[in-house]
Amino acid sequence: MIKITDLNINNKRVLIRSDLNVPIKNKTIKSYARIEASLPTIKYALSKNSQVILLSHLGRPIEGKYDENLSLKIISLYLKKILKNIEIIFIKDIPEKIEFKEKTLIILENVRFNIGEKNNSTELAKKYANLCDVFVMDAFGCIHRSHASTHSLAKQANKTCAGLLLIQELKYLKKALINPIRPMVSIVGGAKISTKFGILDKLLQISDYVIVGGGIANTFLAINNNIGKSLHESKFINKAKILKQKYNNLILPHDSKVVSEFHENADFITKKVFNISNNEEIIDFGNESAIKMAKIIKKAKTILWNGPVGVFEFKKFREGTEIIAKAIAKNKGLSIAGGGDTLAAIEMFKIKNKLSYISTGGGAFLKLIEGNTLPIIEELEKRSTFKKKE
């Protein structure tokens, strides 16, 4: 696919679709990770004396309805603080045209306020395309969604290319998924196994070991054990059994921390997984299991991590996830992490600078691992017929 660095964007109108969907609470940005990851592409375009127009979504508003709490105004105010010498203009409604002015950054309002965004509207995409000479797709976290500001815009724009972040994301995932350096260890946590069968099957094929935690592990444990009132999906126990029988590299906990009542200050006891009572609930790996898994991680040359292995939000129940996270951080091989809860755990345990790469995408990260064909990637590859340095 064509990269932004392949095209001549000097003094051009460059529209960048970024992923600035950051967590906000009480009108305060709680994590700047996605903004920071988007900055290299924005700064590169500005360095070419271009006019940059920025698109992004934020949250899940009702289409066609303005919601002040999900306005990109807060993002524009933050960018004004960090891009000191750049004129930054926030525009609420999509203009018919924008007067060109070099080295300016124009931020348009949340794309999900616009009717037709989620339906991949060609009409809406044309409005965006009319504003630019070059469209740059840089929102890795959105490549699994065919929306007007992503897929349709990539088709309608005069010239379309990939941004620096998107290229970097694909580069690191390729390293892990195509001829990885072995041993390869994957760690998959989360609540629902029903949405992860494709990913688990793929990872079990290519990994030497796949460690599972959370509700996903509980569903596997329920095949042969009473797991009490633990979070799991009973309808998918048989499907989990088939997957478990198919592979011999699935690693499950052999002991767990359990509680009788689920709340932040509940007291836990550690039990073997075959000895859990009806009134008990699994909330974390037992230390024996976590330490055993940390030893497996220590020997890995390639690591893929998606999801915490326990209720890490509660201080008492985060030790399992912490042991796993710190084992990954100590590893000197290639380590790639992705997913919203994973990012929160990384920040909590202060290991951001210890990992090889942290993906900005959750769903996109998993879809690529699963091997799904993504329409936006296909479109970017089609557009590579354009001559470089146009």
Side-chain angles (χ1 to χ4, degrees), residues 350-364:
K350 296 178 173 59
I351 59 169
K352 182 180 177 181
N353 298 325
K354 303 287 186 180
L355 304 181
S356 305
Y357 191 70
I358 301 169
S359 177
T360 58

Side-chain angles (χ1 to χ4, degrees), residues 279-290:
N279 68 325
E280 291 174 331
E281 183 174 357
I282 297 170
I283 39 77
D284 194 10
F285 282 172
N287 283 9
E288 281 185 16
S289 293

Side-chain angles (χ1 to χ4, degrees), residues 102-114:
E102 66 179 34
K103 283 198 171 184
T104 57
L105 177 61
I106 294 169
I107 303 166
L108 298 187
E109 185 55 283
N110 190 340
V111 294
R112 288 189 178 172
F113 288 167
N114 301 322

Side-chain angles (χ1 to χ4, degrees), residues 202-240:
K202 174 73 174 181
L203 289 176
L204 284 161
Q205 286 178 47
I206 66 172
S207 305
D208 295 280
Y209 301 98
V210 176
I211 295 167
V212 292
I216 295 173
N218 294 344
T219 303
F220 280 114
L221 291 173
I223 296 168
N224 297 313
N225 303 282
N226 173 33
I227 59 166
K229 54 184 182 179
S230 304
L231 174 68
H232 73 292
E233 292 180 283
S234 58
K235 291 180 181 178
F236 295 95
I237 292 173
N238 285 336
K239 195 171 180 179

